[in-house]
């Protein structure tokens, strides 16, 4: 009998609080297993990087690659945080110094070729001749990749192509899937030739895995809270899987690593030092408040309208976590107050639809509403801030757009943070078929440009 040990992480999102423990676990376990003559493979399933962290932002993910290198990862796939929060060139250069394989079967350049740093599959052969095929897939956010200059294709079609290519060449098949739990379950139902799906994207936690059809699903939540371990036993003569089981190790309960706090702080400090480049010198502070008049949020909203060349704009003050002090403002300061990977966006609405949306923003539920996901890295929504919008009555029903009464039949271009198009905050926005996303700029990039112009 041959034993295969597979360790996996996913959706770290640059939360390095447990990285020293993960590093120690996977490097020590590799030594243990290899000493016993067992095969070990180590995979990351994407969204290891998130640009809220100074190191990831400053190095555009290369710092994350260094950590994966040092921990001895064999292969990774990547998620939307690597794929669509970096510019084309930044993603194309992120993996330059990798010591691992980047597996992503459904990513191409616009001309149909694959980037030199990516490949659809890899076959690992053990000392006993067992052939392990590994495939990588990333979530199909085709429109956003297209805006950035990439092409992503249907992951199910690519998976079938890969399995056809691997047919007869492998004894065990593993999928690194940054697709989410629902697609992983569909894959288990449709592709019995896949022995193991290691999942990500939806941050699901499968403490002992989940069997779907003949396929074992494994996933380790988010933020490095867990490290996954799958053990597959194979009949070494017949090259057939005998058993497979999954377990998660809780990193909160793991023994601390010597000087781990210093290691974590060093990662943060190294990124911060790279972001200390000045972008502005403010003659006076600019305040930001969530529930009162907010000058910095108003400046950002005005900039959003200008950038998008829109008729009006609105955003929530909670996007800015703090104000800016008098004096030098650095890239680190802007990251600190606006850490979201949120892009500018416009949506076209009729006057009647726009009126309904604007009236909804006046609902008392919004300011203290806690928001999670959708790229939001803050805590609460805060008050809404407007540019090019005036409410001229106590009832808020008399609305002016650019000093002219709102026309119910007119078509307006409205600038907003892209998060309002993903969630069901405003049904009229969600349903609109005319949306334009501005990539790769984040909201803090707009603020940087505006502040530099104020000199």
């Amino acid at each position: 009998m041959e034993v295969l040990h597979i360790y996996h992480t996913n959706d770290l999102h640059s939360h390095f609080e447990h990285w020293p423990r993960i590093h120690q676990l996977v490097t020590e376990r590799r030594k243990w297993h290899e000493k016993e003559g067992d095969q070990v493979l180590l995979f990351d399933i994407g969204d290891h990087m998130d640009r809220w962290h100074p190191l990831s932002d400053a190095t555009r993910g290369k710092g994350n690659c260094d950590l994966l290198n040092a921990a001895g990862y064999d292969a990774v796939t990547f998620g939307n945080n690597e794929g669509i929060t970096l510019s084309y060139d930044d993603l194309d250069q992120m993996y330059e110094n990798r010591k691992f394989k980047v597996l992503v079967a459904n990513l191409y350049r616009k001309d149909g070729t694959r980037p030199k740093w990516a490949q659809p599959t890899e076959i690992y052969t053990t000392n006993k001749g067992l052939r392990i095929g590994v495939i990588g897939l990333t979530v199909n956010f085709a429109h956003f990749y297209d805006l950035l200059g990439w092409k992503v294709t249907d992951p199910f079609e690519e998976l079938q192509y890969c399995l056809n290519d691997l047919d007869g060449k492998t004894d065990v098949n593993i999928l690194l899937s940054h697709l989410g739990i629902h697609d992983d379950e569909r894959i288990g139902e449709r592709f019995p030739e896949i022995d193991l799906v290691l999942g990500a994207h939806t941050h699901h936690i499968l403490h002992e895995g989940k069997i779907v059809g003949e396929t074992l699903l494994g996933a380790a939540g988010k933020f490095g809270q867990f490290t996954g371990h799958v053990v597959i036993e194979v009949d070494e003569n017949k090259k057939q899987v005998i058993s497979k089981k999954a377990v998660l190790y809780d990193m909160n309960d793991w023994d601390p690593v010597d000087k781990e706090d210093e290691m974590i702080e060093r990662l943060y400090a190294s990124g911060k030092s790279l972001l200390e480049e000045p972008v502005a010198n403010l003659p006076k502070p600019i305040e930001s408040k969530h529930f009162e008049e907010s000058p910095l949020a108003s400046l950002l909203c005005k900039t959003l309208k200008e950038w998008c060349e829109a008729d009006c704009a609105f955003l929530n003050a909670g996007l800015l976590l703090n104000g800016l002090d008098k004096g030098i403002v650095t890239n680190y300061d802007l990251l600190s107050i606006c850490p979201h990977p949120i892009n500018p966006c416009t949506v076209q609405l009729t006057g009647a639809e726009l009126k309904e949306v604007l009236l909804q923003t006046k609902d008392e539920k919004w300011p203290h509403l806690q928001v999670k996901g959708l790229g939001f890295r803050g805590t609460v929504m805060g008050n809404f801030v407007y540019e090019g919008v005036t409410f001229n009555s106590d009832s808020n029903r008399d609305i002016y757009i650019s000093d002219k009464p709102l026309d119910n039949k007119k078509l307006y271009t409205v600038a907003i943070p892209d998060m309002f198009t993903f969630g069901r905050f405003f049904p009229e926005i969600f349903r609109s078929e005319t949306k334009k996303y501005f990539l790769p700029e984040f909201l803090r990039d707009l603020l940087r440009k505006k502040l530099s112009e104020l000199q």
Side-chain angles (χ1 to χ4, degrees):
M1 181 182 69
E2 183 167 5
V3 180
L4 172 62
H5 293 275
I6 301 159
Y7 290 86
H8 59 101
T9 53
N10 62 272
D11 294 289
L12 197 81
H13 286 276
S14 293
H15 281 263
F16 299 130
E17 301 94 297
H18 297 314
W19 186 254
R21 302 183 189 188
I22 294 172
H23 177 104
Q24 184 179 72
L25 185 155
V26 299
T27 53
E28 287 188 350
R29 289 295 185 91
R30 183 185 290 275
K31 294 176 183 177
W32 295 357
H33 298 314
E34 289 180 347
K35 186 176 181 180
E36 295 297 317
D38 296 335
Q39 178 71 36
V40 182
L41 291 171
L42 174 58
F43 302 123
D44 185 80
I45 323 300
D47 278 1
H48 189 279
M49 184 209 76
D50 192 314
R51 287 180 57 188
W52 75 268
H53 193 283
L55 179 65
S56 299
D57 191 56
T59 65
R60 296 299 193 265
K62 291 183 178 181
N64 295 74
C65 287
D66 291 340
L67 295 175
L68 293 165
N69 283 339
Y73 276 72
D74 294 288
V76 308
T77 194
F78 62 77
N80 43 292
N81 270 272
E82 289 91 358
I84 62 174
T85 71
L86 294 172
S87 69
Y88 180 95
D89 288 339
D90 285 338
L91 177 58
D92 204 28
Q93 297 166 12
M94 175 179 169
Y95 295 107
E96 283 181 336
N97 297 320
R98 73 196 183 286
K99 297 178 182 177
F100 46 84
K101 304 293 184 180
V102 179
L103 305 181
V104 53
N106 60 326
L107 177 81
Y108 298 87
R109 300 191 191 277
K110 284 290 186 72
D111 63 5
T113 63
R114 296 186 187 275
K116 62 182 180 180
W117 44 266
Q119 60 192 72
T121 63
E122 176 72 0
I123 298 176
Y124 298 90
T125 303
T126 69
N127 292 333
K128 296 181 180 180
L130 184 71
R131 302 167 301 174
I132 305 158
V134 186
I135 305 165
L137 293 171
T138 197
V139 63
N140 187 16
F141 288 163
H143 179 58
F144 298 100
Y145 278 99
D146 180 68
L147 291 173
L148 288 164
W150 297 102
K151 176 184 177 182
V152 291
T153 54
D154 181 88
F156 282 76
E157 292 181 3
E158 294 289 353
L159 178 56
Q160 186 63 69
Y161 296 149
C162 290
L163 289 172
N164 291 344
D165 181 62
L166 293 176
D167 187 31
K169 303 176 183 176
T170 61
D171 306 302
V172 176
N173 290 319
I174 300 171
L175 173 64
L176 313 184
S177 165
H178 198 93
L179 302 179
I181 181 62
H182 300 300
D183 279 353
D184 291 351
E185 290 173 341
R186 289 174 60 200
I187 288 168
E189 293 168 355
R190 288 178 52 181
F191 299 96
E193 58 268 56
I194 297 178
D195 298 283
L196 172 64
V197 175
L198 298 177
H201 187 53
T202 44
H203 300 174
H204 48 293
I205 301 171
L206 301 176
H207 285 283
E208 296 180 346
K210 179 179 181 179
I211 294 291
V212 178
E214 299 178 23
T215 302
L216 175 63
L217 309 186
K222 64 178 181 178
F223 299 170
Q225 294 171 355
F226 298 95
T227 299
H229 180 197
V230 176
V231 180
I232 298 178
E233 296 180 337
V234 182
D235 184 315
E236 61 183 278
N237 295 317
K238 296 181 180 180
K239 305 299 182 186
Q240 293 179 347
V241 174
I242 301 171
S243 70
K244 45 192 174 183
K245 60 182 179 179
V247 66
L248 295 181
Y249 302 122
D250 190 335
M251 294 294 95
N252 291 293
D253 297 335
W254 214 252
D255 289 339
V257 174
D258 186 37
K259 297 183 179 180
E260 69 176 14
D261 290 341
E262 294 179 23
M263 297 166 65
I264 296 162
E265 175 57 32
R266 189 160 58 247
L267 293 175
Y268 192 93
S270 63
K272 180 181 177 181
S273 67
L274 295 172
L275 293 174
E276 292 293 3
E277 179 184 358
V279 297
N281 190 352
L282 300 182
K284 58 181 180 180
I286 308 179
E287 291 186 316
S288 178
K289 298 182 179 181
H290 290 170
F291 311 116
E292 302 175 35
E293 183 177 349
S294 181
L296 189 57
S298 296
L299 179 64
L300 178 57
C301 192
K302 179 181 180 181
T303 306
L304 177 64
K305 176 179 177 294
E306 294 172 353
W307 180 277
C308 296
E309 299 181 343
D311 297 307
C312 60
F314 70 88
L315 52 78
N316 56 304
L319 284 168
L320 295 172
L321 308 189
N322 213 330
L324 293 171
D325 295 331
K326 174 183 176 181
I328 297 295
V329 175
T330 67
N331 283 313
Y332 173 75
D333 294 325
L334 295 181
L335 174 65
S336 298
I337 66 167
C338 193
H340 330 283
I342 291 176
N343 306 107
C345 174
T346 59
V347 58
Q348 287 194 348
L349 301 172
T350 64
E353 292 170 331
L354 176 57
K355 183 175 183 178
E356 182 62 29
V357 169
L358 292 173
L359 291 177
Q360 289 175 51
T361 66
K362 292 296 185 179
D363 194 304
E364 294 180 355
K365 71 178 181 181
W366 291 116
H368 294 278
L369 179 70
Q370 295 186 350
V371 184
K372 294 183 179 180
L374 306 175
F376 188 67
R377 303 291 187 257
T379 53
V380 296
M381 285 286 286
N383 289 344
F384 278 93
V385 178
Y386 311 89
E387 181 66 24
V389 178
T390 307
F391 297 88
N392 270 11
S393 69
D394 292 338
S395 67
N396 291 322
R397 301 198 71 86
D398 294 332
I399 301 174
Y400 287 72
I401 304 298
S402 299
D403 299 324
K404 295 181 180 179
L406 184 149
D407 183 342
N408 284 339
K409 296 182 179 180
K410 183 178 177 180
L411 197 61
Y412 292 95
T413 299
V414 185
I416 53 175
D418 68 10
M419 63 182 279
F420 293 153
T421 70
F422 304 138
R424 298 182 181 269
F425 296 102
F426 306 105
E428 291 79 8
I429 290 176
F430 186 79
R431 290 194 298 262
S432 174
E433 296 181 356
T434 309
K435 303 181 181 81
K436 181 179 180 181
Y437 298 92
F438 294 80
L439 277 71
E441 295 83 9
F442 292 163
L443 293 180
R444 64 176 175 268
D445 295 319
L446 274 61
L447 194 57
R448 177 187 300 109
K449 183 175 186 298
K450 175 58 69 174
L451 292 173
S452 66
E453 292 173 352
L454 295 178
Q455 302 306 297

